[in-house]
Amino acid sequence: MGMLCYILGIFGLLGWVGPLIIWQTRKDSAFINDQAKEVLNWELTIIPIYLLVMVTFCIPIVNILGFLCFFATLITNLVFCIIGAVKASQGVAYRMPFSIKYVK
């Protein structure tokens, strides 16, 4: 279930829904509780970045920059979620870098 949280976190703007459901239903396991909160915090950190980058699509001068930043954000999310999924499948708690701790 910890690995599933990271896999569900790959799905961009809606990536926070899966970890939230798993966190709410599986609080009895300390590992799943910890990893679901970690993915949820990561997704809540990256959503404003996605939204800011999408706003830059509307500005003609920085449209190309917004396009490049969108793909950089997408790839960063994908890489960190894959690393987290691999670590969680091994039973190792993974900490997302640059994540703001909204849910403690």
Side-chain angles (χ1 to χ4, degrees):
M1 292 300 280
M3 182 178 74
L4 183 62
C5 289
Y6 285 101
I7 292 171
L8 292 173
I10 292 173
F11 296 109
L13 289 173
L14 294 177
W16 60 273
V17 176
L20 178 65
I21 292 171
I22 292 172
W23 177 53
Q24 290 297 317
T25 58
R26 301 295 301 254
K27 286 186 177 181
D28 53 337
S29 171
F31 181 73
I32 296 172
N33 183 27
D34 177 56
Q35 293 304 290
K37 286 193 291 188
E38 189 66 29
V39 177
L40 187 59
N41 284 327
W42 169 252
E43 292 301 323
L44 291 175
T45 300
I46 205 164
I47 284 174
I49 297 170
Y50 274 126
L51 295 176
L52 180 67
V53 167
M54 286 181 189
V55 167
T56 62
F57 284 145
C58 300
I59 302 170
I61 295 172
V62 292
N63 195 352
I64 304 265
L65 180 63
F67 185 73
L68 294 174
C69 288
F70 177 76
F71 280 109
T73 306
L74 189 71
I75 290 170
T76 301
N77 185 38
L78 180 68
V79 167
F80 286 160
C81 286
I82 289 173
I83 292 170
V86 170
K87 293 288 186 180
S89 71
Q90 297 169 350
V92 177
Y94 179 68
R95 297 284 167 243
M96 292 285 204
F98 315 115
S99 178
I100 300 170
K101 304 299 182 209
Y102 293 106
V103 181
K104 299 201 188 264

